[in-house]
Amino acid sequence: MKSELVNAFLDGLQLSKGEQLRPLIIDSKTMLRNYLSMAGARYWEWRDNPKAKNIDDLMNEIEYGETTFAYNLEGVLYRKVSKAVIDVIRRNDDGVQERLYEEIFDGTDWVRRNEEPSDTPGLKEKGKLGEEPIQTAIRGIGEEMKIKELSENDLEGLIHLPDNENSQQTEESDGYPGLKTKYNFDFFIFELPEGRYQLVYEFEEGKRRMRLKWEEIV
């Protein structure tokens, strides 16, 4: 539990340009439930939604330093997350360029996570407190593609792209419906070494089943 003095100091910080956001220290699931209820996020419905995570997953993200919370002067609650977005590309045996995209199992079938191929393609990994974006990207590749111990030669194909108009976004979380989330994205391109190729990469995010598949770059 943070002291009242520390909380008072944190409350005075301005955390984003153009909007004054005050950090919110959440250190128990009871406190988290209360704030979610006040924000209108129907967290009790997440457990029965195969495309959503649940409140235990969210509490774990807080404890692991992957998620923080803040509110603005009007009292609107925001979740804050930094993500590495890695566009994984390769050239197949026919010389056609391909990239990975995400699918999620909705309980009956696999559906594309992003409707448009141009919507932050590839895999995404939440950054941890104090972690550099390149470290987040390497960890995400390891966890979602099961690629461990990337060599120096492998990492030559991992490029950190400059910030762009999509680097900061505010939208409702797909994993936590009803919860407004401020995202800070770092974008990467990763040219997959041929020896690391698989047709499909399957993984889990909390209770959600996910997979990565290849599609032609158009």
Side-chain angles (χ1 to χ4, degrees), residues 5-188:
L5 181 61
V6 171
N7 280 337
F9 173 75
L10 291 173
D11 279 348
L13 293 177
Q14 183 167 314
L15 297 184
S16 68
K17 296 179 180 179
E19 181 179 22
Q20 188 174 10
L21 290 179
R22 296 184 175 183
L24 183 63
I25 305 300
I26 295 179
D27 55 13
S28 73
K29 193 159 67 173
T30 297
M31 185 182 295
L32 177 59
R33 283 196 296 262
N34 289 339
Y35 278 110
L36 291 174
S37 295
M38 288 188 292
R42 301 170 66 87
Y43 64 86
W44 55 89
E45 296 179 350
W46 296 346
R47 190 172 294 276
D48 298 323
N49 181 348
K51 297 178 69 174
K53 300 183 184 181
N54 59 47
I55 194 169
D56 291 325
D57 296 323
L58 185 55
M59 193 68 216
N60 286 338
E61 289 183 13
I62 295 170
E63 292 174 347
Y64 296 156
E66 297 176 339
T67 282
T68 59
F69 280 88
Y71 59 95
N72 64 14
L73 296 179
E74 287 73 42
V76 178
L77 181 70
Y78 291 98
R79 169 176 170 250
K80 298 185 68 183
V81 176
S82 294
K83 281 192 174 186
V85 180
I86 307 101
D87 192 5
V88 184
I89 61 174
R90 68 181 291 266
R91 191 179 297 276
N92 66 22
D93 293 339
D94 296 323
V96 176
Q97 285 189 315
E98 299 178 324
R99 64 156 46 106
L100 286 177
Y101 70 96
E102 285 186 327
E103 289 188 331
I104 185 169
F105 191 71
D106 68 0
T108 58
D109 200 3
W110 290 97
V111 295
R112 191 186 185 101
R113 189 173 183 182
N114 296 299
E115 293 296 330
E116 299 295 332
S118 60
D119 288 347
T120 54
L123 60 96
K124 305 168 187 65
E125 183 65 35
K126 287 185 293 294
K128 295 183 178 181
L129 188 64
E131 188 174 55
E132 293 295 326
I134 188 71
Q135 296 173 313
T136 304
I138 293 172
R139 182 168 54 81
I141 291 169
E143 291 178 2
E144 297 192 8
M145 299 179 67
K146 305 298 187 293
I147 296 179
K148 306 295 184 182
E149 299 180 359
L150 288 164
S151 69
E152 289 295 326
N153 287 338
D154 291 338
L155 290 176
E156 288 181 0
L158 181 63
I159 301 172
H160 193 176
L161 302 177
D163 289 347
N164 58 49
E165 66 275 8
N166 294 319
S167 295
Q168 293 186 344
Q169 301 176 24
T170 300
E171 57 190 47
E172 181 177 315
S173 168
D174 62 344
Y176 304 109
L179 182 56
K180 292 183 178 179
T181 302
K182 287 185 174 291
Y183 294 99
N184 183 75
F185 292 115
D186 282 276
F187 294 99
F188 294 82

